[in-house]
Amino acid sequence: MRIIVAGWLTYAGDAETCSRIITGGADHIAASRAEHGCVAYNWAVDPLEPGKIHVYEEWESEEALLHHFRDPSYLAMRTHLDQWELTGFGVLIYSVNGVEAVYGEDGWPRREIFGVTLTD
């Protein structure tokens, strides 16, 4: 089953501080992306809320995520992030039972997702 890790972290400072955090963590992000079972791994500066970083990860399985938590790159990333003052945290783990495309064959957003149909 696919696993999504998504949420946000806020730091004392502004968007420039967050950019420095992400740029300085590029090696940790790259190492995480190279781990077995990693489908996606990204940090992004929020364009509207200074000091906020969004986190998005996708893993092939629960086991892959649990291995990530024990990987040296994860531990190094935690040490890296501890250099700045964390003021808020909201990151959660989501299980994914199915995956469907956003767009249909016609190139438009789907009108049905996982059996639920939009009625006008």
Side-chain angles (χ1 to χ4, degrees), residues 6-97:
W8 52 268
L9 303 100
T10 54
Y11 287 91
D14 55 13
E16 186 175 317
T17 299
C18 290
S19 290
R20 285 196 309 274
I21 292 170
I22 293 171
T23 301
D27 290 343
H28 309 302
I29 294 168
S32 294
R33 288 179 177 180
E35 288 179 46
H36 177 75
C38 182
V39 176
Y41 196 99
N42 194 44
W43 301 349
V45 176
D46 188 297
L48 303 178
E49 294 185 46
K52 185 178 239 181
I53 294 175
H54 291 275
V55 175
Y56 178 82
E57 305 173 26
E58 186 175 343
W59 297 89
E60 289 179 354
S61 66
E62 294 92 333
E63 292 82 9
L65 178 58
L66 290 170
H67 282 289
H68 169 64
F69 290 154
R70 293 193 173 119
D71 194 89
S73 69
Y74 178 80
L75 301 174
M77 179 267 306
R78 298 257 334 211
T79 299
H80 168 70
L81 293 176
D82 285 344
Q83 296 176 70
W84 289 272
E85 182 185 348
L86 183 68
T87 59
F89 181 85
V91 179
L92 298 171
I93 299 171
Y94 302 87
S95 64
V96 179
N97 290 318

